[in-house]
């Protein structure tokens, strides 16, 4: 599918999701989320053809113009809607499927400086509500819903609803579930444990040297 065909599907998706969209001219002229996607698709084309600096410049211009930051290397399907897109960030290795709905302040980011795949994969039909943060190289399954303000740090199954900090699955296919196996990493506590172990090892070494 060409970039222009994807843009047409993006435009059609806006009318499906936004009752305030009255006509095509209004969307093309005034919808910043649509502008961000059009400029991303141009930047992505440049990136694929190895005009990487120019692609980043287009991306930077799009961020300045719309408040939406999409890395030109990200892969985004068709029928995507960025609604009230201010503050949306989509990282370099992020992958988005088709018919994804993204609201204001969503971040699809990484958790460190690792190389390779470090951003999430968002499958078809996912809804990402305002302020949601999806961080890491895992998959959010088809038709999942990520609640407003949630911080998601692990895989999300298809048709699931995730809420909270850290994000927990509360529904799958309309049925309530309990998701108790996700905990927010505590780097400070981890470092303290490492230091304690190191001190203990040094004390043992000093004790052996005295003997």
């Amino acid at each position: 599918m060409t970039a222009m065909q994807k843009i047409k599907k993006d435009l059609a998706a806006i009318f499906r999701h936004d009752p305030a969209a009255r006509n095509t001219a209004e969307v093309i002229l005034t919808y910043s989320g649509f502008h961000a996607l059009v400029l991303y698709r141009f930047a992505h084309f440049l990136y694929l053809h190895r005009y990487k600096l120019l692609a980043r410049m287009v991306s930077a211009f799009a961020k300045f113009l719309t408040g939406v930051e999409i890395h030109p290397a990200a892969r985004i399907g068709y029928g995507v809607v960025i609604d009230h897109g201010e503050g949306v960030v989509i990282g370099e290795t992020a992958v988005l499927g088709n018919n994804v709905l993204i609201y204001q302040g969503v971040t699809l980011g990484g958790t460190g400086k690792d190389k390779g795949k470090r951003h999430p994969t968002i499958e078809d039909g996912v809804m990402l509500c305002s302020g949601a943060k999806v961080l890491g190289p895992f998959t959010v399954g088809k038709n999942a819903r990520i609640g407003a303000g949630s911080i998601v740090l692990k895989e999300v199954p298809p048709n699931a609803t995730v809420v909270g900090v850290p994000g927990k699955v509360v529904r799958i296919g309309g049925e309530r579930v309990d998701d108790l196996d996700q905990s927010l990493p505590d780097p400070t506590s981890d470092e303290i444990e490492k230091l304690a172990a190191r001190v203990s090892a040094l004390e043992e070494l000093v004790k052996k040297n005295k003997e």
Side-chain angles (χ1 to χ4, degrees):
M1 182 177 292
T2 67
M4 186 55 66
Q5 288 172 324
K6 289 181 178 180
I7 289 171
K8 288 180 179 179
K9 288 185 177 292
D10 295 338
L11 185 61
I14 290 173
F15 289 99
R16 289 199 304 272
H17 291 289
D18 187 358
R22 292 177 296 181
N23 56 67
T24 301
E26 182 180 61
V27 172
I28 292 174
L29 293 173
T30 68
Y31 276 52
S32 60
F34 180 70
H35 299 159
L37 281 170
V38 171
L39 289 168
Y40 152 76
R41 298 202 186 281
F42 178 50
H44 186 63
F45 173 84
L46 294 172
Y47 194 90
L48 292 178
H49 289 80
R50 301 185 181 277
Y51 296 103
K52 294 186 177 181
L53 176 58
L54 186 56
R56 292 303 300 270
M57 291 172 65
V58 172
S59 177
F61 174 70
K63 180 184 177 184
F64 171 78
L65 185 68
T66 68
V68 177
E69 181 175 357
I70 307 175
H71 195 286
R75 291 157 48 200
I76 299 179
Y78 60 79
V80 174
V81 175
I82 300 177
D83 194 6
H84 303 291
E86 182 73 29
V88 169
V89 178
I90 300 176
E92 179 183 10
T93 61
V95 178
L96 280 73
N98 306 320
N99 303 310
V100 174
L101 179 57
I102 302 172
Y103 287 98
Q104 179 267 337
V106 167
T107 298
L108 304 179
T111 55
K113 296 182 179 180
D114 296 334
K115 301 293 184 181
K117 176 74 166 141
R118 59 191 185 280
H119 300 97
T121 295
I122 310 297
E123 294 190 341
D124 298 352
V126 171
M127 177 189 290
L128 301 159
C129 295
S130 299
K133 314 299 179 186
V134 185
L135 308 174
F138 52 82
T139 298
V140 176
K142 289 183 178 181
N143 302 314
R145 295 187 173 210
I146 309 300
S150 299
I151 298 179
V152 183
L153 301 171
K154 71 170 190 177
E155 197 101 356
V156 176
N159 304 304
T161 299
V162 175
V163 298
V165 179
K168 295 181 179 180
V169 175
V170 295
R171 291 182 181 274
I172 296 180
E175 296 184 5
R176 289 192 63 83
V177 297
D178 292 319
D179 177 12
L180 303 177
D181 63 346
Q182 181 169 2
S183 59
L184 188 66
D186 186 347
T188 302
S189 177
D190 292 343
E191 289 300 319
I192 291 173
E193 289 181 5
K194 290 177 183 178
L195 286 171
R198 180 63 175 165
V199 169
S200 178
L202 289 172
E203 287 176 345
E204 288 293 325
L205 182 61
V206 170
K207 184 178 179 181
K208 287 182 180 178
N209 288 336
K210 287 182 178 180
E211 294 175 353

